[in-house]
Amino acid sequence: MDLLNPLDAIFLAIESREHPMHVGGLQLFEPPAEAGPEFTRDLYRTMASATEVRTRFRRRPSRRLGGFSTLSWDHAEHVDLHYHLRRSALPSPGGLPDLLDLTERLHGILLDRHRPLWEARLIEGLDDGRFAVYIKMHHALIDGVSAMRLLQRTMTDDPLDTRVRVPWGAPVVERDDSVPPDSSLQQLRKSLPRMVRSIGAVAAPLRGALDGRLTMPMTAPRTMFNVSIGGARRIAVRSWPLERVNAVRQATGATINDIVLAMSSAALRSYLIEHDALPDEPLIAMVPVNIRSAAESDVSEGNMVAACLANLATHLDDPAARLEAISTSMRRAKSVFTQLPKTEAMVLSALLMTPLGVSLVPGFESLPRMPFNLVISNVPGPRKPVYMQGARLDANYPLSIPFESQAMNITLTTNGDNLDFGIVGCRRTVPDLDRFPDHLENGLAELEKAVAH
């Protein structure tokens, strides 16, 4: 039984039917040229035979400690793989809209808290011969960076390697059973002083934030995204050549992440103008920044991210000026978090995200100011072609969480020579989400035009 860190506890505590707190991914694969009609059936059987399940994929909320299920993890002794891994087929002929329709439905369904908090689906029947894998995990189990590193460990860069590696399978980590594990109360007693010290340690960075170095929560204007949401989802996806983004980066000196935020800012600005809903003040995005070292990727679980708040400068008409404002905002935010050890950075992030929980309290859902308007996350992915049983990963669309009063989420990842975007919105409150990728394309095009002059 393990205690949760503050961010993981928040993700469990604020979940409800209207607010599923799982992250997911939709991968599209091109089967090998020699694949026969039974390729996906055989692949499913091979995946289902991987019955050795690693610790992370056995976790479920504990009902101990007096019923405080959001304080600690329990571990299932038996994992029913035929529940967690399923096979589906699209109606013929199955196009991308059919695949997204199925994925929207799967992404809006809560995970069963009596079972380990993950599910996977192998999907066949696409009319272009490809197949898909959709997988979702509770955000309390995993953050975007560790999810992408986990995915990469299941892939290979050798197209002739036909071994199947599944996310839930891994070599057993030997444990020294001669030393009994701490009891729940012992773990809590050891952790509380460290958490108290961490809260005290963030006082100086918070003072710096109040001096104007950090964009603060509760300063974002209310927009059409900042309304009460339901649990049903809409999804839009598209890929862009990384070469185009790199050309803008080289011309401006901005980071890839800055340019992605500028694309998103332009798209949000155009989308809101299209719906006669652009506020006079700039939108604020929460941008997760990884604080996990490469050495920690295989041994640390849960979330290890800093929650930076970025000014998206959506009030500015000039794309170059927007990019400069975004770069400055992100640079200042990162300078605050780099002062802190990891634990203190996560505590500060939890404090910045606390207003999300406040918005769920009756009477507080209509606060005039928002903690931030939406989350925009850029997760590093594989930089060269990768394969699963000889099938090439053609697209890898990350699908994240629209929070209460934040009806849209934008997440992207690197996939070889592309950037793959997954946009998730509340089905009831975000109309015309399928048009949003067009606005992203226009945002990149106007940056290209600006730097060409």
Side-chain angles (χ1 to χ4, degrees):
M1 200 268 305
D2 303 316
L3 290 173
L4 284 80
N5 72 41
L7 278 179
D8 298 345
I10 287 175
F11 287 128
L12 280 172
I14 66 177
E15 183 172 57
S16 69
R17 176 62 194 92
E18 290 75 24
H19 315 108
M21 286 292 134
H22 52 257
V23 292
L26 178 65
Q27 291 93 43
L28 286 169
F29 291 89
E30 182 75 35
E34 68 278 8
E38 304 301 328
F39 179 83
T40 52
R41 184 199 65 181
D42 295 340
L43 176 60
Y44 172 79
R45 289 178 176 175
T46 303
M47 294 171 73
S49 67
T51 56
E52 189 173 326
V53 181
R54 62 186 298 166
T55 301
R56 188 201 302 262
F57 288 82
R58 294 180 176 273
R59 284 185 164 179
R60 61 191 177 193
S62 174
R63 298 290 175 179
R64 287 177 282 188
L65 289 175
F68 290 102
S69 61
T70 56
L71 285 181
S72 60
W73 289 117
D74 199 357
H75 296 88
E77 293 184 9
H78 171 70
V79 178
D80 181 2
L81 277 182
H82 289 288
Y83 175 87
H84 290 273
L85 172 67
R86 302 197 183 190
R87 180 183 173 207
S88 297
L90 301 175
S92 180
L96 184 60
D98 299 302
L99 176 62
L100 292 180
D101 181 68
L102 173 60
T103 306
E104 288 168 348
R105 294 175 183 274
L106 295 174
H107 203 58
I109 300 173
L110 284 172
L111 289 162
D112 183 352
R113 289 200 178 197
H114 297 280
R115 300 175 183 270
L117 296 178
W118 65 276
E119 293 178 17
R121 188 77 60 120
L122 178 64
I123 306 167
E124 55 191 293
L126 279 162
D127 55 8
D128 59 9
R130 294 183 296 177
F131 67 93
V133 173
Y134 167 78
I135 186 168
K136 64 182 179 182
M137 296 182 67
H138 202 285
H139 208 346
L141 281 181
I142 201 164
D143 61 34
V145 171
S146 54
M148 200 55 59
R149 289 176 174 172
L150 181 62
L151 171 69
Q152 291 184 67
R153 291 200 301 274
T154 67
M155 303 290 172
T156 175
D157 58 5
D158 181 2
L160 301 180
D161 185 349
T162 59
R163 289 176 295 174
V164 175
R165 304 166 181 86
V166 291
W168 57 88
V172 176
V173 177
E174 295 298 332
R175 190 173 61 185
D176 185 358
D177 293 325
S178 64
V179 180
D182 287 341
S183 69
S184 305
L185 291 177
Q186 286 173 324
Q187 290 187 50
L188 187 59
R189 192 160 47 241
K190 289 181 178 180
S191 299
L192 281 175
R194 186 169 65 249
M195 292 175 67
V196 171
R197 288 195 301 271
S198 298
I199 293 172
V202 303
L206 278 176
R207 284 195 295 271
L210 293 172
D211 290 337
R213 293 169 55 203
L214 192 68
T215 301
M216 291 297 291
M218 309 308 293
T219 60
R222 184 169 289 275
T223 72
M224 63 180 289
F225 304 128
N226 307 126
V227 295
S228 184
I229 68 172
R233 298 288 174 253
R234 289 192 187 277
I235 291 172
V237 299
R238 191 172 296 182
S239 301
W240 278 267
L242 189 57
E243 181 182 13
R244 293 178 62 188
V245 179
N246 265 324
V248 178
R249 177 186 63 81
Q250 292 167 1
T252 61
T255 67
I256 291 289
N257 200 51
D258 293 341
I259 296 162
V260 163
L261 290 173
M263 285 176 63
S264 301
S265 173
L268 289 163
R269 176 182 164 84
S270 298
Y271 180 90
L272 290 170
I273 289 174
E274 189 176 78
H275 290 86
D276 195 25
L278 179 67
D280 294 332
E281 298 171 82
L283 271 65
I284 306 298
M286 195 279 273
V287 183
V289 176
N290 179 43
I291 56 175
R292 177 188 282 103
S293 69
E296 292 173 311
S297 62
D298 291 327
V299 298
S300 57
E301 299 183 355
N303 289 268
M304 293 185 68
V305 293
C308 293
L309 298 185
N311 183 329
L312 293 180
T314 48
H315 62 304
L316 300 178
D317 182 60
D318 179 37
R322 282 201 303 270
L323 176 59
E324 177 60 30
I326 289 167
S327 297
T328 300
S329 176
M330 284 299 295
R331 188 165 56 249
R332 289 175 175 173
K334 289 177 183 177
S335 72
V336 171
F337 280 101
T338 54
Q339 299 177 34
L340 298 172
K342 291 183 178 63
T343 302
E344 283 77 5
M346 286 192 292
V347 170
L348 176 56
S349 298
L351 291 174
L352 293 175
M353 292 182 67
T354 297
L356 282 177
V358 173
S359 68
L360 295 173
V361 178
F364 288 86
E365 63 272 10
S366 298
L367 290 170
R369 310 295 297 189
M370 299 303 303
F372 42 88
N373 297 107
L374 76 166
V375 177
I376 304 175
S377 183
N378 181 4
V379 183
R383 294 301 305 273
K384 55 187 176 181
V386 292
Y387 303 83
M388 179 177 64
Q389 204 175 34
R392 180 175 58 85
L393 179 63
D394 192 44
N396 181 23
Y397 300 117
L399 305 173
S400 196
I401 304 169
F403 291 102
E404 171 63 13
S405 298
Q406 294 174 359
M408 181 189 288
N409 175 285
I410 302 171
T411 304
L412 64 140
T413 188
T414 314
N415 177 34
D417 295 328
N418 290 330
L419 286 176
D420 293 345
F421 280 69
I423 304 103
V424 182
C426 169
R427 192 176 189 90
R428 188 182 69 224
T429 57
V430 182
D432 308 316
L433 188 63
D434 58 325
R435 295 170 56 86
F436 198 81
D438 293 334
H439 293 306
L440 285 167
E441 166 59 30
N442 294 337
L444 178 56
E446 70 178 17
L447 283 170
E448 292 171 323
K449 182 177 179 180
V451 301
H453 291 162

